[in-house]
Amino acid sequence: MNPQKQGWLDRVPLFCYPKGIDMAQNKSDSTFLKRIWQFFTAVKLTVVLLVLLAATSIIGTVIPQNASPAFYFHNYGESLYKLFSVLNVFDMYNSWWFLALLGLLAVNIVVCSIDRLKSTWKIIFPEKIPFKPQRYRKMKNKTVFETNEDLEKVLPAFKEVLGKKFSFVSENPTDHGVGLYAEKGRWTRIGVYVVHSSILLLLIGALIGGIMGISGTMRLDEGEKGSAISLSGQHQHHDIGFSIKCNSFDVSFYDTGMPEEFRSNLSIIKDGKEVLSSDILVNQPLSFEGYNIYQSSYGTSAAENLELKIQNPKSGMVYTKQVKKGESIKLPEGGGTFELTGFDPNYSFRGHAVGEAFTGILRKGGESEGKQIVLPVKFPTFDRMRRGDLVLSVKDYEKTYYTGLQVAKDPGVPYVYIGFILMIAGCFITFFMSHQSVLVEVNHKNNPGCEVSVAGTANRNSQSMNLKIEKLVSKLKESISS
Amino acid sequence: MTSSLLLSVTTFVYAAASVFYIGAWSFNKKVLSRVGLIVLVAGFIMNTAGILLRWVESYKIGYGHAPFSNMYESLVFFSWTVCLLYLFVEYKYKEKIVGVFATPLIFLAIAYASLAPGMESEITPLIPALKSNWLIAHVITCFLGYAGFAVAFGFSVMYLVRPETTKQNGLATKLPYPGVIDELTYQMVVFGFLFLTIGIITGAVWANSAWGTYWSWDPKETWSLITWFIYATLLHLRMMRGWNGKRIAWVSIVGFMAVLFTYFGVNYFLSGLHSYA
Ligand code: HEM
């Protein structure tokens, strides 16, 4: 493409009048449509849109997205809150104006491609590959050398060299001899269209996902099953049409205490029958009927069979006792009874989260009321604060976990993935391949002998074409020297 | 020899290489740039060994993962990729002095890794979300992209530093012809763009296999897309509007600022899924 030299105002799409359109005709409909069409063929529009997208995308990385209205009201004040609501800044990547920018981009690409495709098509699939020697005779990289061999002798050698490097070679008579024209990579001109259609596919895929996709979470205790997911960002449930059962859940830890791996064994139950059973890990989801089921989190849902450590701080005596939930046991040394009433995976003591904790009731003698006590798992000395005769703490217990699943269906994904592949392929073709052509003219000169001139061009990367011409010249010389 | 010691030594070797390149430029001595190249290659070998050694060490500890999992490791790898790309450019284009502004970047990245306060250089275990082969594909491609943009940035600065009038003396005139630098900048942007594209795509595919959504507008994702938009703008300006020289150099510098923000800024100023590296 030739760079158009224009003034600053002409670079702003709104001020750019398409060439060849008479201003007086503006009122007629066809000209109006034509102007809209021209507006969308402008690469200036592309540039403006890309810059706007880049600039506005920043907003959503600075202002937290999809938080509660109260949060925004509190943090930004009333007037900004109103402005943000109108512009939907709280969910800006789904706001009307952001989607409109993406839509304009799509129209831009479609219109531009249609506009150019006709002429590009003719270039890519010509009826006959044209022979235009004049173009090459003026080229800067033209290299001329002479040889003592006759034209008839060098031609076959040259053709062989060219045939190895190019996919097409033609021999054309000229005024002073013969012009050998060779080219390759005509098809690479399609690369740009591949890139641009990949962008359309991505947008289509995202649109399909946005309309028909569904995503939510499901929390299942070990042994539990469920068929409803809580939709992300809303207080709604959706029935997925089959049940998921969590048979078991396992988590392993590094010695640092960080989770190493967590794994749920799930069964899919459809119409009362178990149809599938499989383990899932964080990076290994399970697919069923278009839904993907991902391992996303876990937690402790309940604890059973507490092993209690009972200590007399004065005498140093230590006892251990088993207790089940709801059960009451006798404490040693006539310390009364202990009833295990509950378990809280995240107990809060005076506003501090102390993690997992058991709760129970301690009764002395014949008391019926008793005293509520807390036994945090991580703090074995916690019960000392009570200043009782006996100090209770948690020695061991059996946990049951719940597994947090992400359940999602996105029918747009195949389009997006094809878009990804086309985008990479198209970029590669556009950046690293080109339509290259050379003209090797062999003219009668001296007798015997002839003059050879070599010139070439490429639709991209003309710099490397100059190097290629240099190499070709030495190859040609080589081919006739032996 | 531990990997962190080896990598600290690498920092000094890279520092020496930068000094030689700058010296070659300042005193217009070809010999110095040749020495610079040798030192740079030595640094590169040590950098490579350091990364491999760290990989082995992580298996010995029992965590067993590729060394791309935190800021320290990513900076070391960033130096490595920029160095690799620069060596390739010098080899392919046979332009010696172009390392003046690129080699200091190699040094700065690894120096930041070794010296910045609060930089965790311990080998830590991987959280379950990072246990995926996509991690390796994603990190390598993203960093090749960043490396392309970093070298392009070096060339752009060089282009702008060079005065337009060709006086015979003065530092800047010893740089290669502006047309060559301009072309090199463009080539590096194209290289970076291809790999950033693949990097974003591998990240999306990975996210889809781990979390069930290929795009969630997390700040790091969004910033990499912003970076992508900026360089896409650059490409269109150049291919369709015929921009080159100074104007392209400025756009490339703006693009690299976006790269830096994507890489560091997001971690320090914004929060999201990517806060580990
Ligand atoms: C971000 C989304 C993009 C949009 C909205 C966009 C839009 C456009 C438009 C409207 C044109 C002019 C019309 C045409 O020649 O078909 C164009 C041209 C072009 N674009 Fe893009 N483009 C995008 C991404 C890319 C990418 C990623 C590449 C890199 C491979 C690219 C490479 C090109 C090239 C090489 C041309 C010139 C075509 C020619 O020589 O005829 N575009 N783009």
Side-chain angles (χ1 to χ4, degrees):
Chain A
M1 280 309 118
N2 278 333
Q4 299 140 280
K5 291 264 185 299
Q6 282 168 321
W8 140 249
L9 211 55
D10 288 332
R11 292 200 196 108
V12 181
L14 290 175
F15 296 97
C16 120
Y17 292 107
K19 284 187 206 94
I21 289 176
D22 190 354
M23 297 293 292
Q25 285 178 4
N26 264 358
K27 286 186 192 98
S28 86
D29 261 7
S30 73
T31 318
F32 181 68
L33 286 178
K34 219 173 189 174
R35 283 193 61 193
I36 292 187
W37 183 263
Q38 298 270 0
F39 172 77
F40 279 112
T41 57
V43 183
K44 303 167 207 170
L45 177 65
T46 319
V47 169
V48 170
L49 288 174
L50 288 176
V51 169
L52 278 178
L53 279 171
T56 55
S57 292
I58 298 175
I59 299 171
T61 67
V62 179
I63 298 175
Q65 298 289 293
N66 295 309
S68 69
F71 169 86
Y72 296 115
F73 201 87
H74 182 247
N75 279 280
Y76 298 101
E78 191 179 342
S79 44
L80 268 182
Y81 175 79
K82 278 186 181 150
L83 177 69
F84 286 180
S85 305
V86 173
L87 294 176
N88 200 6
V89 171
F90 310 133
D91 188 14
M92 69 149 276
Y93 302 110
N94 292 312
S95 69
W96 54 271
W97 55 268
F98 194 76
L99 296 180
L101 286 177
L102 290 174
L104 285 175
L105 208 59
V107 176
N108 188 200
I109 293 179
V110 172
V111 171
C112 213
S113 300
I114 294 175
D115 201 61
R116 280 167 198 270
L117 200 56
K118 226 180 179 177
S119 51
T120 313
W121 203 257
K122 275 190 196 145
I123 298 178
I124 298 175
F125 302 106
E127 281 164 20
K128 187 173 170 288
I129 291 178
F131 176 66
K132 290 180 183 156
Q134 305 82 354
R135 257 186 90 200
Y136 297 85
R137 289 184 183 142
K138 286 177 293 199
M139 275 175 190
K140 272 195 201 139
N141 62 22
K142 187 167 103 171
T143 313
V144 182
F145 64 91
E146 286 183 19
T147 163
N148 295 329
E149 305 284 348
D150 260 339
L151 193 145
E152 290 70 28
K153 197 160 170 240
V154 298
L155 268 187
F158 284 2
K159 268 163 98 175
E160 198 187 320
V161 171
L162 290 172
K164 270 187 200 148
K165 293 207 157 200
F166 295 88
S167 61
F168 172 88
V169 183
S170 73
E171 190 180 330
N172 312 273
T174 57
D175 295 348
H176 311 285
V178 173
L180 290 175
Y181 173 79
E183 65 161 41
K184 68 173 170 190
R186 203 166 261 274
W187 65 274
T188 62
R189 289 177 183 264
I190 210 94
V192 177
Y193 295 89
V194 175
V195 175
H196 292 153
S197 45
S198 79
I199 290 164
L200 293 179
L201 270 175
L202 296 181
L203 292 175
I204 290 171
L207 193 67
I208 292 176
I211 295 170
M212 313 210 311
I214 199 158
S215 162
T217 55
M218 187 186 284
R219 191 186 136 158
L220 294 174
D221 288 348
E222 284 177 278
E224 196 188 0
K225 70 179 181 183
S227 66
I229 54 174
S230 335
L231 299 184
S232 324
Q234 304 159 36
H235 301 283
Q236 274 180 30
H237 293 274
H238 174 82
D239 194 283
I240 53 174
F242 57 89
S243 303
I244 305 170
K245 182 172 177 222
C246 173
N247 302 314
S248 64
F249 177 85
D250 270 311
V251 55
S252 58
F253 297 91
Y254 292 109
D255 44 16
T256 59
M258 238 169 73
E260 180 177 359
E261 184 179 277
F262 38 109
R263 170 191 303 269
S264 303
N265 183 271
L266 303 180
S267 292
I268 303 287
I269 298 160
K270 172 106 184 167
D271 302 327
K273 266 184 290 190
E274 183 176 317
V275 286
L276 178 67
S277 177
S278 166
D279 274 1
I280 64 167
L281 294 169
V282 174
N283 273 294
Q284 286 172 29
L286 171 70
S287 294
F288 185 71
E289 290 193 343
Y291 282 97
N292 284 319
I293 301 157
Y294 302 88
Q295 177 73 67
S296 76
S297 64
Y298 71 94
T300 312
S301 64
E304 277 291 312
N305 298 337
L306 172 64
E307 193 174 339
L308 208 55
K309 180 175 164 191
I310 304 155
Q311 214 175 351
N312 183 332
K314 287 202 192 98
S315 68
M317 285 294 287
V318 177
Y319 313 85
T320 49
K321 287 238 170 196
Q322 297 280 342
V323 56
K324 287 197 174 115
K325 193 176 166 194
E327 195 185 47
S328 207
I329 51 160
K330 251 206 178 107
L331 295 177
E333 300 184 3
T337 60
F338 173 79
E339 182 191 342
L340 182 62
T341 53
F343 172 80
D344 190 333
N346 203 356
Y347 191 82
S348 162
F349 180 73
R350 292 189 186 146
H352 294 282
V354 294
E356 300 179 336
F358 287 88
T359 54
I361 295 173
L362 207 60
R363 292 188 184 88
K364 286 261 165 89
E367 277 176 23
S368 61
E369 272 295 286
K371 188 178 161 105
Q372 159 107 28
I373 63 168
V374 180
L375 308 173
V377 174
K378 276 197 225 133
F379 304 99
T381 57
F382 188 87
D383 193 43
R384 280 184 193 212
M385 285 196 298
R386 188 168 50 86
R387 296 176 189 280
D389 296 333
L390 296 173
V391 175
L392 275 57
S393 59
V394 176
K395 189 170 178 204
D396 201 6
Y397 61 102
E398 285 168 18
K399 262 195 213 191
T400 55
Y401 288 101
Y402 73 80
T403 180
L405 305 176
Q406 172 88 24
V407 181
K409 180 166 90 170
D410 187 345
V413 165
Y415 298 89
V416 172
Y417 277 22
I418 295 173
F420 285 166
I421 294 168
L422 290 182
M423 164 91 70
I424 296 174
C427 278
F428 187 84
I429 295 169
T430 310
F431 293 149
F432 300 114
M433 301 173 97
S434 58
H435 177 195
Q436 303 164 12
S437 58
V438 293
L439 177 69
V440 179
E441 280 200 90
V442 190
N443 294 335
H444 294 289
K445 196 174 180 188
N446 310 331
N447 203 2
C450 50
E451 184 194 67
V452 182
S453 74
V454 184
T457 179
N459 68 328
R460 269 179 225 300
N461 230 339
S462 49
Q463 207 82 11
S464 76
M465 195 62 204
N466 298 345
L467 285 175
K468 286 198 176 120
I469 293 294
E470 269 177 43
K471 271 192 198 150
L472 181 63
V473 167
S474 60
K475 272 264 161 70
L476 291 175
K477 284 182 182 165
E478 229 172 77
S479 75
I480 50 171
S481 67
S482 54
Chain B
M1 188 83 160
T2 64
S3 63
S4 17
L5 180 61
L6 185 55
L7 290 168
S8 306
V9 178
T10 308
T11 310
F12 292 100
V13 178
Y14 279 150
S18 313
V19 170
F20 280 115
Y21 273 97
I22 295 168
W25 177 53
S26 313
F27 307 116
N28 200 14
K29 286 266 188 313
K30 272 224 174 100
V31 180
L32 288 180
S33 71
R34 210 162 291 154
V35 177
L37 177 63
I38 294 168
V39 177
L40 190 65
V41 169
F44 182 71
I45 292 168
M46 291 165 83
N47 196 345
T48 313
I51 291 173
L52 292 176
L53 191 57
R54 198 175 165 89
W55 205 327
V56 172
E57 282 168 4
S58 95
Y59 272 92
K60 280 198 185 135
I61 302 177
Y63 297 152
H65 61 77
F68 306 135
S69 67
N70 58 23
M71 193 52 139
Y72 173 83
E73 291 173 350
S74 81
L75 279 164
V76 168
F77 185 60
F78 181 58
S79 283
W80 187 84
T81 46
V82 177
C83 190
L84 176 71
L85 184 60
Y86 175 72
L87 287 173
F88 174 76
V89 170
E90 186 171 327
Y91 169 76
K92 180 158 179 217
Y93 294 90
K94 312 264 183 290
E95 291 286 349
K96 296 262 174 254
I97 245 156
V98 289
V100 186
F101 293 97
T103 45
L105 290 175
I106 302 171
F107 158 67
L108 283 176
I110 199 166
Y112 188 70
S114 309
L115 306 173
M119 185 68 67
E120 287 283 346
S121 66
E122 307 266 285
I123 297 178
T124 49
L126 274 191
I127 60 170
L130 292 187
K131 285 186 186 155
S132 167
N133 287 333
W134 287 108
L135 169 71
I136 297 181
H138 178 57
V139 172
I140 291 181
T141 49
C142 281
F143 277 76
L144 283 173
Y146 292 172
F149 297 140
V151 177
F153 167 78
F155 292 160
S156 301
V157 171
M158 188 186 279
Y159 191 94
L160 293 173
V161 162
R162 190 184 208 283
E164 284 183 41
T165 53
T166 34
K167 267 186 287 166
Q168 275 311 301
N169 39 12
L171 288 182
T173 51
K174 284 164 197 151
L175 295 172
Y177 290 114
V180 175
I181 313 175
D182 182 52
E183 184 60 26
L184 283 175
T185 305
Y186 173 66
Q187 290 296 331
M188 289 302 106
V189 167
V190 156
F191 176 89
F193 190 81
L194 178 68
F195 279 99
L196 179 64
T197 306
I198 304 178
I200 294 176
I201 288 175
T202 49
V205 173
W206 178 17
N208 195 36
S209 73
W211 293 290
T213 161
Y214 55 86
W215 194 261
S216 50
W217 294 105
D218 140 279
K220 196 129 190 155
E221 280 175 6
T222 309
W223 269 95
S224 66
L225 187 67
I226 291 169
T227 308
W228 192 83
F229 282 145
I230 294 175
Y231 283 105
T233 309
L234 185 154
L235 292 176
H236 286 89
L237 286 172
R238 184 160 169 126
M239 292 192 277
M240 299 292 293
R241 312 269 324 153
W243 280 33
N244 59 17
K246 269 196 175 165
R247 293 191 291 184
I248 286 294
W250 278 113
V251 182
S252 144
I253 288 173
V254 171
F256 190 62
M257 294 302 119
V259 170
L260 288 182
F261 196 83
T262 310
Y263 190 5
F264 301 105
V266 172
N267 296 27
Y268 293 127
F269 301 115
L270 311 169
S271 65
L273 288 171
H274 276 84
S275 39
Y276 35 80

